[in-house]
Amino acid sequence: MVKHKSPEYEFFGIPGVLVLSFFLPLLCYILAFSCNDISGCPAPSLLHPSTSTLDDIKKDVGWPGWSGLINAKAAIATLGYYAFSFFLWVALPAEEVQGTVLRNGRKIKYRFNAFQSAITTLAIAAAITLIQGPNTRLWSFIWDNYISLLTCNIIISYALATLVYIQSYQINSSSSTTSSRLLAPGGLTGNVLYDWFIGRELNPPISIPFIGTVDIKSFMEMRPGMLGWLILDLAFLFRQYHNYGYITDSMIIATFSQAVYIFDALYNEPAILTTMDIIQDGFGFMLAFGDLVWVPFTYSLQTRYLAIHPVRLGVFGCAGIFAVQGIGYYIFRASNNEKNRFRTNPEDPRVKHLKYITTASGSKLLVSGWWGTARHINYLGDWFMSWSYCLPTAFAGYVIQPTSPFSFHDVRGTAPEGGAFIRNDRSLRGGVEVVPGEAKGWGMLITYFYMAYFAVLLVHRELRDEEKCRKKYGQDWEEYCRR
C-alpha cells in the first residue's frame, strides 16, 4: 500500500471537500429551479430578495416539496437507462485497448464502444420520434420529470462513490504487484471524507450480474452522463417545438455545438487513457458526481433556457457563433491529436518532425508544434468551444406574464417585439407570454454559468497538471518551461 508521510490535500483540504460534497448537488437544484417555466429566469422573487418571502420564492420556482424531488417513474427510467448502457457496452462490437503502464508494471485492458452505443441509443430515439411524432412521450417525460431525474442521478453518484470507497479496502500490499487494482496516492490521506471525495482506488472494477466486471471509472467517463447531456438537449429542443411549433436557429446552434463536442469525445474514447482522470485520479465522489450529474444537468442549461425563451440570432449571429466554435474545435482537436499520436508512436510521420526534450525518467516532452506554443493549448480551444454553447442565449433573462390583450399573434405563433408566446398546453398556464422584462441580462448568471465555471475548472486543472509534472520531472520540467 502506498503511504504518505504527510497528507497532501487539494480543494482547500477537508473543509473544501465537505462544502463541495454537499453544495454542488444543491447548486444543481438552484440552477434548475431558478430558471423555470412558471415565473421566469431568474424567478422574479429572486430579483427582489429584500421584499420577497420564502413562500414567494417557493411559489415562483415551483417548489414541489421534499417528496416531489423524486418519483418512482423517474427512478425506474434512470435505472433502466443505466442498465441499457451496460447492456450496450457488453453487446456491441468494441475496440479493446491496453491502458498505460501502471506503477506496478501492469496494464488494464479497456473495452471502448461509447460511440457505437450512442448511435444505437439515438437511432432508437429517432425511430420513436418518427413513429410517434415530435411530441412523443419519450421527450415530454424527460421535461416533466427533470427534477426527479436530477435527484436520481445525484443519489446514484453518492451510492457509487460509497461503494467503490468500501470496495477499495479489498486491496492490500501483497496484491499490489500481481493485480491491476491499485490505490490512488491522492486518496490515501486517512480522512474518510476526503478519500471518499477524491477517490481511494485508482481503477475500481465493479461486478454486475449478467454483464461481468466493468472498469467503472472509464465507463462513467463517457457514459451514461456524456450521452445523457445530448439526450437532455434533444428533449429541450423538442420542448421548444412543443411550446411554439417551431425550432429557432439559436436552439439548433446550441444543440449542434454541444453535439459536436459530445460525438468527438465519444468517437475518440481511447484518448481518455492519457488524461489525468484516468492516469492519476482515483474514482470517488468528485468524478462520479461530475460524470453523472454535473456534466449532463449543468452543461445543458442553455438549451433548457431556449426551450422556454426562444432567441432568433439571424445569419450574422449564427456565423459569428459558428466561427468561435470552429476555431475552438480546431485548436482543441488538433493539439490533442498531436499529443496522443506522439505518445503512441513518436515515429508517426505526422509528429516525427516535432522537437522534444528527454527527461531523466525517459519521458519525452514536446517543445514545438501546438505544445511548443503553450503548455496547455488544448484547454484554450476547449474554453472557446464553451462560448458557442452560451452565446445563443444572448442577453438572457425572461419573465412569464399573462398575455397582453393588445398582443398580436398570427397562426405561426409570431410574438410581440422582444417577447415570445407560449401556446396553451399541459405544462404551462394558458394565455401567458414570455418577455425579457426586468429579468433581461440577469438570466446570463445561469446560461453563461458554464463558460465561467469552465474557465475556473481549466485553470485549476492546469495548476494540478503543473504541480504533477514538477514533482515527476524535477529540473527537467523547469528546463521544459524555459523552452
Side-chain angles (χ1 to χ4, degrees):
M1 179 183 296
V2 179
K3 296 182 179 179
H4 288 286
K5 293 182 179 179
S6 59
E8 295 183 4
Y9 295 105
E10 297 184 73
F11 302 102
F12 302 102
I14 298 170
V17 300
L18 176 63
V19 171
L20 291 174
S21 297
F22 299 99
F23 173 71
L24 289 180
L26 178 61
L27 179 58
C28 289
Y29 283 118
I30 292 173
L31 293 170
F33 279 113
S34 59
C35 191
N36 59 72
D37 58 357
I38 296 173
S39 62
C41 181
S45 56
L46 297 178
L47 297 177
H48 305 281
S50 62
T51 59
S52 298
T53 65
L54 181 58
D55 287 337
D56 292 332
I57 296 175
K58 287 182 176 180
K59 179 181 178 181
D60 280 357
V61 302
W63 173 248
W66 295 106
S67 62
L69 294 179
I70 191 171
N71 61 58
K73 292 184 296 183
I76 293 172
T78 301
L79 292 175
Y81 173 63
Y82 277 73
F84 185 62
S85 297
F86 282 117
F87 170 75
L88 293 180
W89 176 80
V90 73
L92 294 177
E95 178 183 3
E96 295 190 347
V97 179
Q98 292 286 345
T100 57
V101 179
L102 301 174
R103 62 175 182 269
N104 63 357
R106 298 180 66 85
K107 291 184 178 183
I108 296 176
K109 180 181 287 187
Y110 294 90
R111 180 179 175 83
F112 292 136
N113 61 5
F115 183 77
Q116 296 93 313
S117 297
I119 295 299
T120 301
T121 303
L122 294 175
I124 293 172
I128 293 173
T129 305
L130 287 172
I131 294 170
Q132 299 183 357
N135 293 321
T136 174
R137 182 61 178 157
L138 169 66
W139 306 118
S140 62
F141 178 87
I142 294 174
W143 180 269
D144 296 339
N145 294 276
Y146 178 78
I147 295 297
S148 293
L149 293 172
L150 170 60
T151 303
C152 290
N153 283 277
I154 289 174
I155 292 173
I156 290 174
S157 66
Y158 276 112
L160 183 58
T162 303
L163 173 62
V164 295
Y165 176 78
I166 295 172
Q167 187 177 268
S168 71
Y169 283 92
Q170 297 173 351
I171 304 174
N172 54 60
S173 56
S174 62
S175 64
S176 62
T177 59
T178 60
S179 171
S180 59
R181 294 184 64 183
L182 290 173
L183 297 176
L188 300 177
T189 66
N191 181 275
V192 174
L193 176 63
Y194 185 87
D195 294 346
W196 169 83
F197 177 86
I198 291 293
R200 195 169 183 273
E201 185 171 355
L202 184 63
N203 308 104
I206 290 183
S207 296
I208 301 174
F210 308 109
I211 299 297
T213 301
V214 181
D215 182 274
I216 202 65
K217 182 167 72 170
S218 62
F219 181 90
M220 294 299 177
E221 187 81 9
M222 288 289 118
R223 52 187 157 179
M226 183 70 78
L227 178 57
W229 172 13
L230 181 55
I231 290 173
L232 287 175
D233 279 345
L234 293 173
F236 301 150
L237 180 148
F238 284 108
R239 187 63 186 189
Q240 186 186 76
Y241 182 84
H242 172 81
N243 285 340
Y244 300 98
Y246 57 82
I247 299 174
T248 59
D249 51 8
S250 59
M251 175 64 86
I252 293 173
I253 287 180
T255 304
F256 175 81
S257 298
Q258 295 176 26
V260 167
Y261 183 90
I262 294 166
F263 278 119
D264 177 81
L266 296 173
Y267 184 78
N268 293 284
E269 187 180 15
I272 66 173
L273 296 180
T274 61
T275 64
M276 180 184 293
D277 288 356
I278 299 296
I279 295 174
Q280 177 178 330
D281 294 334
F283 186 74
F285 180 75
M286 178 179 70
L287 288 181
F289 178 82
D291 292 340
L292 305 181
V293 181
W294 192 256
V295 167
F297 288 93
T298 66
Y299 288 19
S300 59
L301 287 172
Q302 300 81 21
T303 51
R304 184 168 180 260
Y305 170 90
L306 292 171
I308 307 168
H309 186 228
V311 174
R312 298 186 186 278
L313 298 171
V315 175
F316 293 107
C318 293
I321 294 174
F322 274 129
V324 172
Q325 167 81 4
I327 292 171
Y329 180 77
Y330 174 69
I331 295 173
F332 173 78
R333 181 43 54 202
S335 59
N336 276 329
N337 282 345
E338 182 181 83
K339 177 188 68 174
N340 293 330
R341 286 166 183 156
F342 186 78
R343 284 184 175 180
T344 304
N345 178 19
E347 296 303 315
D348 188 315
R350 291 169 292 186
V351 295
K352 186 178 181 179
H353 65 284
L354 296 176
K355 298 179 181 179
Y356 59 87
I357 62 173
T358 303
T359 67
S361 64
S363 299
K364 298 176 180 179
L365 303 177
L366 288 171
V367 293
S368 66
W370 283 106
W371 298 89
T373 304
R375 290 196 292 275
H376 298 283
I377 190 70
N378 57 328
Y379 291 169
L380 178 64
D382 213 353
W383 189 55
F384 278 173
M385 283 192 287
S386 74
W387 292 26
S388 63
Y389 310 160
C390 305
L391 289 173
T393 64
F395 295 101
Y398 61 80
V399 175
I400 297 178
Q401 63 184 27
T403 305
S404 168
F406 302 104
S407 298
F408 171 78
H409 306 277
D410 66 20
V411 294
R412 294 168 299 173
T414 303
E417 184 177 357
F421 180 68
I422 296 184
R423 300 180 303 176
N424 185 21
D425 56 46
R426 294 175 297 172
S427 301
L428 296 167
R429 303 180 306 279
V432 296
E433 61 184 1
V434 180
V435 297
E438 63 176 352
K440 185 175 183 179
W442 287 105
M444 295 173 70
L445 294 173
I446 298 170
T447 63
Y448 287 76
F449 169 80
Y450 172 72
M451 192 171 78
Y453 145 78
F454 203 49
V456 174
L457 172 70
L458 292 176
V459 169
H460 176 260
R461 180 167 291 185
E462 188 272 341
L463 293 174
R464 293 184 73 203
D465 286 346
E466 294 282 315
E467 182 64 20
K468 181 196 72 172
C469 293
R470 188 169 287 108
K471 290 180 179 179
K472 181 177 181 180
Y473 301 121
Q475 291 299 318
D476 290 325
W477 183 254
E478 300 300 328
E479 173 62 23
Y480 172 71
C481 293
R482 285 193 292 269
R483 298 284 293 271

